[in-house]
Amino acid sequence: MSDATEANGTAGAPEATGSGAADGGGGGRHVRVVLVDDHRMFRAGVQAEIGQTAETGVEVVGEAADVDQAVTVITATRPEVVLLDVHLPGGGGVEVLRRCAALTADTERPVRFLALSVSDAAEDVIGVIRGGARGYVTKTITGTDLVDSIFRVQEGDAVFSPRLAGFVLDAFASTDAPPLDEDLDRLTQREREVLRLIARGYAYKEIAKQLFISVKTVESHVSAVLRKLQLSNRHELTRWATARRLV
């Protein structure tokens, strides 16, 4: 279901061949991209969809499946754009942004982040934008639109899926913080990570492996989540998370 392989700074990067690669493809445009998502099959699908450099101008120079891998690959490859999943083992997309803040702030060679997630939850969108991401698109986006979004982010534009744009503008125009889910706000960051993995159907052993903690610790976190949310079992927890679009 998820991938926990070692980070590879060149994994999936196509060879530069032919005149298309020489001029960057995609009408002369060229952008170096790192894919960060904990689902290997999803990364493979994105690579197949947008990573034909001669046609799209997008060169995938690295992939990562968790926070530590992401920071390692991004630091080593210095891509122009990172496609970043919001929900990742090790602290999520916000943690990647925090640890890469110096790269984002570099005025000469900035690394820009575009969140690519299944979630359109308010806390996820606002969290990564406040963390430094230049945009947020959902995984329903087409390959063509994703390529266009990547180049726009490379150029410094802010990019959002249409249904999120108005919401983001309203949230940042307001002097008040966006509304939070009081129940969700009771959970710690680690408990939220465990909650999302449980809701995705992960077994306790898989969660322990993904988060680099023991199975006993996973069980403790699940018990705490159930108690705080006043739920009885993981099935109720999954329904609760799905209703809030946290999966």
Side-chain angles (χ1 to χ4, degrees):
M1 180 176 295
S2 61
D3 182 272
T5 56
E6 292 296 319
N8 185 336
T10 58
E15 294 287 328
T17 58
S19 59
D23 67 8
R29 303 184 300 177
H30 182 264
V31 59
R32 298 169 68 254
V33 172
V34 163
L35 305 177
V36 181
D37 193 284
D38 64 338
H39 286 76
R40 180 180 58 81
M41 291 184 65
F42 179 77
R43 296 199 311 272
V46 173
Q47 163 78 13
E49 185 75 19
I50 70 172
Q52 303 303 313
T53 310
E55 287 75 30
T56 66
V58 176
E59 179 187 5
V60 179
V61 298
E63 300 181 8
D66 60 35
V67 170
D68 287 340
Q69 290 179 16
V71 174
T72 298
V73 173
I74 293 165
T75 302
T77 61
R78 291 296 294 266
E80 283 87 25
V81 177
V82 177
L83 287 181
L84 180 67
D85 191 11
V86 174
H87 303 148
L88 292 168
V94 172
E95 179 65 12
V96 176
L97 288 161
R98 186 187 69 79
R99 291 169 60 179
C100 292
L103 300 180
T104 305
D106 189 327
T107 56
E108 294 186 2
R109 295 177 57 200
V111 176
R112 296 188 169 106
F113 288 80
L114 174 60
L116 176 62
S117 176
V118 70
S119 171
D120 59 2
E123 68 156 12
D124 290 334
V125 180
I126 298 303
V128 294
I129 297 304
R130 284 183 171 160
R134 294 294 304 174
Y136 195 115
V137 295
T138 59
K139 290 181 178 180
T140 57
I141 193 170
T142 66
T144 300
D145 287 343
L146 181 56
V147 169
D148 181 64
S149 296
I150 290 169
F151 278 107
R152 288 177 59 193
V153 166
Q154 179 195 28
E155 293 163 2
D157 289 346
V159 179
F160 300 94
S161 291
R163 63 178 299 177
L164 302 180
F167 158 70
V168 173
L169 289 173
D170 290 344
F172 280 89
S174 173
T175 56
D176 298 324
L180 296 176
D181 186 313
E182 292 184 1
D183 290 331
L184 188 62
D185 201 38
R186 295 191 184 100
L187 306 182
T188 66
Q189 180 63 37
R190 178 65 71 171
E191 288 168 351
R192 295 185 192 194
E193 292 175 2
V194 172
L195 164 65
R196 289 188 174 105
L197 291 174
I198 285 287
R200 290 182 182 184
Y202 284 66
Y204 285 4
K205 288 184 179 180
E206 293 176 307
I207 297 173
K209 184 178 180 180
Q210 288 293 315
L211 299 182
F212 306 102
I213 57 179
S214 69
V215 173
K216 185 176 181 180
T217 301
V218 173
E219 292 173 347
S220 296
H221 285 313
V222 172
S223 295
V225 170
L226 292 174
R227 182 180 70 256
K228 290 180 180 181
L229 300 181
Q230 298 182 9
L231 300 174
S232 300
N233 53 57
R234 64 180 298 163
H235 300 295
E236 290 185 1
L237 187 152
T238 298
R239 288 197 296 271
W240 188 93
T242 301
R244 286 161 175 77
R245 300 177 180 176
L246 300 177
V247 182

